[in-house]
Amino acid sequence: FEGAQEILERIGWPDEIRQQRIMLHLRSQIQIHLGDLDGAKSNLIRAERFFGENIAVLRDLACVYYQTGEMVQWLHHVERLRERLLRCRDSLSAQTEIQCKIILGKFLEELGRVAESSDLYHEAQLRAENEQREDLLRLSIIQRLRVEALFSRGTDLSRLYTRLLSIPKSDITFDLHVEREHGLLLAEIELVGPQHGWLRLMALKNHSQLTPADFRLLLSDFLMESMARNHSIPQEAKDIAQVLREGDAYEVEIGKIAIQEKTTVADLARLNELIPEISWGCYLRLLTLHHQTCDGPNLKSEIARKLTLLLGDLPPSSRFFWMRRVQPQVLTLEPKLHFDVRHHVVSYQGKQLDLSKKRTLCSLLEQLTQNPSLDVDTLIRSLWQSDFSPEHLHRLRMTARRLNELLFELSAIPRVIEMTSDRVSIKGSVSVTAVS
């Protein structure tokens, strides 16, 4: 990069405005790789101020603000990047669109908005496939693998893992290789066990091109995900965890948990003080880990209630991802909804859904609280005082679908109401109780 900077100096400043913006942008990217974040930020701000808004400049400026820890400016530029991408995505080149979607997806992950980031990674993958851009396709698949390993743990995880496992190291850059190893490590902790992930991390540890920051990221995620699954941590990993003291607040906290193994009230007080220094997604992951390692049932119960409260503030689709991640440790096996028949209000974990202006939905839910499984004919007669007909069957399906949508917004539980050709039922894993 120093050589690239010398070349730019020899080129000087071109006359055309567009080329001047490109030159400023290139200088800033070189400064980022050299660690001169203040210089990069200055040039990116100049490029935007004097030559107008450009999505690639906006993307890199958001990255710089994140690296410098200027969280207010970072949040502002994340929202600007999201809005700009929506406005001009049809006119972007494949490379620009895919890179912007992946960067935005990572930022949204940091904010806990996992569902939105997962959608962006999938869109990036589809565009890369259509454009036959193998390098960008691999980059987008790596992001999807990481999200699946951390949150979804669904059927796509093994398929994505197998696909990335077969890529030779010689076919990708070292930076992409590190990203791939990160995703594979997380997938192996989930699918196989920590020893495979640890061997993968140790194979990278002494590589001359691996930066200390990248190693701390890999190590902290190895420790986090292993402890979250109650796996035993190798003693060598605990010894090496000392290097996390040189990292950011999130990495320092993981290192402390790994070394002391048990969470106390003092640890939670320290975690509360860290909130301004770490992203929302990192805070939720740390809180989940503290729940896993806390000392005593009362403290564990309090952390569980706090997690439930905080997750309730996320969009339903993202809350669903987090619930799948934390459910084995935090949430009850049988989610409980309460339906106030008199006031037509459904309650779940402190949140409420008002159905008072949705008479048919209220009637359907009231019927199912009395009997959690009813045949279609009975419900049609009860709701519309009519015998069975294809039209009424369609109305019942639409009613159940709309009720499911509203209940999902309330609870992030998918398909609370299940419907077959002849019956409508409350999902077996869910309890809906009538209260007066």
Side-chain angles (χ1 to χ4, degrees):
F1 285 103
E2 291 177 358
Q5 194 166 15
E6 291 174 6
I7 292 172
L8 286 179
E9 294 296 342
R10 288 200 299 271
I11 291 173
W13 289 99
D15 294 331
E16 294 183 19
I17 291 178
R18 178 176 179 274
Q19 291 183 350
Q20 291 182 39
R21 177 187 58 75
I22 292 172
M23 288 286 288
L24 268 177
H25 193 186
L26 288 174
R27 288 176 189 276
S28 70
Q29 290 179 326
I30 292 168
Q31 289 168 312
I32 290 171
H33 284 283
L34 292 176
D36 181 11
L37 296 179
D38 288 334
K41 179 171 63 176
S42 176
N43 277 328
L44 288 167
I45 291 173
R46 286 175 61 199
E48 188 173 60
R49 180 178 299 164
F50 294 116
F51 306 117
E53 188 177 76
N54 175 272
I55 194 166
V57 171
L58 183 57
R59 175 199 65 207
D60 289 352
L61 191 52
C63 291
V64 169
Y65 279 127
Y66 181 79
Q67 290 177 276
T68 57
E70 297 172 88
M71 303 309 286
V72 173
Q73 292 90 335
W74 172 66
L75 287 169
H76 173 67
H77 282 76
V78 168
E79 190 58 29
R80 284 185 61 202
L81 178 60
R82 188 187 69 82
E83 292 174 354
R84 177 73 175 174
L85 189 57
L86 286 173
R87 288 201 312 269
C88 65
R89 59 185 173 184
D90 294 335
S91 61
L92 297 176
S93 68
Q95 179 166 330
T96 299
E97 180 188 355
I98 292 168
Q99 289 176 341
C100 286
K101 283 186 173 179
I102 288 174
I103 291 295
L104 180 59
K106 289 185 175 185
F107 287 156
L108 292 175
E109 272 190 74
E110 292 293 297
L111 294 171
R113 291 153 61 178
V114 184
E116 295 170 74
S117 64
S118 180
D119 289 342
L120 285 169
Y121 297 149
H122 195 214
E123 291 171 11
Q125 178 185 342
L126 294 177
R127 179 77 191 267
E129 288 173 339
N130 290 337
E131 300 288 338
Q132 298 183 339
R133 290 292 303 269
E134 190 65 27
D135 55 337
L136 296 173
L137 175 60
R138 289 168 176 172
L139 181 60
S140 59
I141 291 175
I142 288 169
Q143 315 313 316
R144 290 195 63 203
L145 176 68
R146 188 187 65 256
V147 170
E148 287 290 321
L150 291 175
F151 295 97
S152 181
R153 304 173 183 177
T155 55
D156 284 344
L157 180 56
S158 59
R159 180 177 58 81
L160 294 169
Y161 172 75
T162 303
R163 188 168 179 178
L164 286 178
L165 196 63
S166 62
I167 300 174
K169 287 192 292 186
S170 58
D171 285 0
I172 55 178
T173 65
F174 182 73
D175 286 343
L176 192 59
H177 173 62
V178 172
E179 283 216 52
R180 185 190 73 154
E181 294 300 286
H182 186 195
L184 292 174
L185 178 151
L186 295 173
E188 285 171 343
I189 294 173
E190 171 63 21
L191 294 171
V192 184
Q195 195 60 48
H196 273 67
W198 180 246
L199 292 173
R200 189 173 294 281
L201 178 56
M202 289 299 97
L204 269 176
K205 179 177 181 292
N206 296 320
H207 197 290
S208 60
Q209 290 180 264
L210 187 70
T211 66
D214 281 339
F215 178 69
R216 290 195 302 269
L217 171 64
L218 293 165
L219 177 60
S220 61
D221 264 2
F222 170 81
L223 293 170
M224 161 71 78
E225 298 309 310
S226 296
M227 289 187 289
R229 291 162 178 78
N230 278 325
H231 292 316
S232 297
I233 304 298
Q235 185 58 46
E236 186 180 2
K238 294 180 182 179
D239 296 338
I240 295 176
Q242 302 288 344
V243 304
L244 296 180
R245 294 176 179 175
E246 303 169 10
D248 58 27
Y250 173 73
E251 293 165 347
V252 169
E253 189 66 18
I254 291 176
K256 289 178 179 178
I257 300 172
I259 293 169
Q260 71 184 35
E261 296 185 340
K262 286 293 182 183
T263 290
T264 65
V265 174
D267 297 318
L268 292 180
R270 183 180 68 246
L271 181 59
N272 285 335
E273 294 177 358
L274 290 180
I275 293 177
E277 302 178 45
I278 58 178
S279 69
W280 195 239
C282 287
Y283 176 68
L284 288 174
R285 288 180 69 190
L286 283 172
L287 195 59
T288 304
L289 184 57
H290 275 301
H291 178 272
Q292 190 70 13
T293 61
C294 70
D295 190 14
N298 292 335
L299 186 57
K300 185 179 286 285
S301 178
E302 283 197 18
I303 299 174
R305 285 196 293 271
K306 186 170 186 176
L307 267 169
T308 300
L309 177 66
L310 296 177
L311 292 179
D313 196 46
L314 289 174
S317 53
S318 290
R319 199 184 329 151
F320 177 62
F321 272 85
W322 280 98
M323 286 173 69
R324 293 184 71 171
R325 174 176 170 82
V326 305
Q327 192 165 25
Q329 297 88 19
V330 177
L331 303 176
T332 60
L333 292 178
E334 184 180 274
K336 295 181 180 180
L337 289 83
H338 300 280
F339 180 43
D340 186 331
V341 179
R342 180 180 177 186
H343 297 98
H344 312 298
V345 172
V346 185
S347 302
Y348 178 74
Q349 296 180 350
K351 300 182 70 177
Q352 292 188 332
L353 167 65
D354 185 359
L355 295 177
S356 59
K357 296 182 180 180
K358 299 174 176 60
R359 186 176 61 84
T360 306
L361 273 61
C362 271
S363 298
L364 174 59
L365 190 57
E366 185 175 354
Q367 293 286 324
L368 290 171
T369 56
Q370 296 172 7
N371 187 338
S373 181
L374 292 167
D375 64 84
V376 166
D377 289 347
T378 298
L379 279 171
I380 289 175
R381 282 194 297 270
S382 174
L383 295 175
W384 296 291
Q385 293 76 51
S386 173
D387 292 332
F388 175 88
S389 70
E391 291 77 15
H392 282 98
L393 178 62
H394 177 72
R395 288 179 67 183
L396 182 58
R397 288 189 187 281
M398 293 301 101
T399 301
R401 178 179 177 179
R402 180 56 181 153
L403 182 55
N404 270 335
E405 290 173 351
L406 293 174
L407 292 176
F408 181 75
E409 291 178 12
L410 172 72
S411 65
I413 303 170
R415 294 183 298 280
V416 172
I417 311 298
E418 297 178 332
M419 185 172 176
T420 64
S421 59
D422 57 352
R423 297 197 74 78
V424 179
S425 309
I426 299 289
K427 181 186 289 191
S429 59
V430 178
S431 168
V432 181
T433 306
V435 297
S436 56

